[in-house]
Amino acid sequence: MNDIDLTSILTHASTSSRGVAKPYLPESPVFASALLTTLPATFGTGNIGRLGVNVVANRLLAAGAEPRYLSATVTIDLDTPQEIIREVALGMRDAAVEAEMEWTTVERAILPVGPANGVSISIFGVGCRMVNVTSRFDCVHPGDALIITGPVGTTGAAVAGDRHGIKLPTQSDGSVLTDVMRSVYVHAPDVPAVYFPFQGLNPALKLLGINAEIDRKKIPCDEAVREACETMGLDPLDLAGADAMLLAVSDKDAERVLEAARRYRAGSSAAIVGRVRDVRETGFQED
């Protein structure tokens, strides 16, 4: 696939070709990025192209921003099959359309000794701020409810499944959560904290310094993912996933936020999964 092919696959899906008005950026735009270098180009039913766009879009949403623009650098090993390159490019294109984002620049590099997994992607996104939220959980209090808006562990389970010869039928490269978070911000604009736990729920809680009482039975998780993790001896809460946001809300607002998240398909499995016990002041410092 030459440079024109790769670029045209993405830029032909720009917002202008879909009749969407060109977005306006305020003086204080919001930025997010994703660097995918260790994941295989394809895994389960997904690929890193779609995953990368979903991660960037969801990180913007977690920061209280409407996703707007994308740019990417795609590095390809010379021996990577053309069908895999095309699948990754189409994944990037389709995810951007779903996220209502527009491609601005796309760079490609083919190397004789390229990424070990065939393709690596660096994606940068820009958004417009909708509300002021925090991902630091500084304003979380003991007793606050923790809400997960969608299934956990799908990406990590699919990657591990491929290594063990287990093919998971579930969507494994994430979902863009624009509709879910728009609804949450409209119905609960003062939600105390929002976090996109791409690396997994347990790692996110540890990183954020949250000591929580979690009801595992209430955590959304696809049955195929649960069964595969049992077979492989893995915990879905430790695995990467790009299908959910982690919200901390006051107990009195929890049901209202939950109802808002469930208005859309991507948030249909949202659930209150536990309560905050306490929060370490230095949650972002490593142990």
Side-chain angles (χ1 to χ4, degrees):
M1 181 177 294
N2 57 41
D3 289 331
I4 296 176
D5 291 334
L6 180 62
T7 303
S8 64
I9 281 178
L10 301 181
T11 57
H12 283 178
S14 68
T15 56
S16 58
S17 67
R18 303 196 309 282
V20 178
K22 197 170 186 64
Y24 164 76
L25 283 179
E27 295 181 357
S28 56
V30 179
F31 305 101
S33 63
L35 178 62
L36 304 179
T37 59
T38 59
L39 290 173
T42 61
F43 48 86
T45 61
N47 63 77
I48 63 169
R50 189 178 187 89
L51 177 66
V53 173
N54 285 335
V55 168
V56 168
N58 289 337
R59 283 177 173 164
L60 287 170
L61 289 162
E66 284 265 15
R68 292 302 195 195
Y69 295 108
L70 285 164
S71 67
T73 298
V74 182
T75 305
I76 305 167
D77 185 273
L78 186 63
D79 295 330
T80 303
Q82 292 290 302
E83 58 269 23
I84 290 181
I85 299 172
R86 181 172 179 81
E87 181 177 346
V88 170
L90 290 175
M92 294 169 68
R93 180 200 68 181
D94 294 345
V97 170
E98 293 177 12
E100 301 177 14
M101 300 184 76
E102 183 174 357
W103 288 100
T104 57
T105 59
V106 180
E107 299 290 338
R108 188 198 67 163
I110 295 182
L111 304 177
V113 182
N117 292 319
V119 180
S120 68
I121 302 177
S122 175
I123 301 183
F124 182 77
V126 183
C128 298
R129 187 173 298 283
M130 293 185 287
V131 296
N132 290 316
V133 298
T134 175
S135 61
R136 292 183 60 87
F137 276 42
D138 290 352
C139 52
V140 176
H141 301 96
D144 282 353
L146 293 176
I147 295 176
I148 291 289
T149 66
V152 302
T154 52
T155 301
V159 172
D162 282 357
R163 295 169 181 161
H164 288 79
I166 301 173
K167 187 75 170 182
L168 270 70
T170 56
Q171 181 175 332
S172 53
D173 46 17
S175 304
V176 63
L177 302 172
T178 304
D179 289 339
V180 173
M181 295 312 298
R182 280 176 181 162
S183 181
V184 168
Y185 291 142
V186 166
H187 292 85
D190 297 324
V191 57
V194 180
Y195 189 74
F196 179 54
F198 174 53
Q199 298 299 334
L201 179 57
N202 280 341
L205 292 173
K206 181 178 180 181
L207 178 67
L208 294 164
I210 300 292
N211 179 20
E213 181 180 351
I214 299 293
D215 186 344
R216 294 182 64 93
K217 294 180 181 179
K218 293 183 178 180
I219 295 177
C221 184
D222 290 328
E223 189 58 34
V225 171
R226 291 187 189 277
E227 293 177 355
C229 285
E230 288 180 3
T231 300
M232 296 182 289
L234 300 174
D235 185 347
L237 276 61
D238 292 332
L239 301 181
D243 298 282
M245 291 287 185
L246 172 62
L247 314 177
V249 300
S250 63
D251 195 55
K252 65 181 179 62
D253 294 329
E255 290 297 333
R256 178 161 57 99
V257 173
L258 188 63
E259 180 182 354
R262 286 177 173 174
R263 289 173 180 262
Y264 295 92
R265 181 187 59 82
S268 60
S269 61
I272 300 172
V273 301
R275 294 287 188 279
V276 175
R277 288 176 177 162
D278 57 71
V279 184
R280 288 187 287 118
E281 294 183 0
T282 55
F284 272 75
Q285 294 182 4
E286 295 183 354
D287 293 334

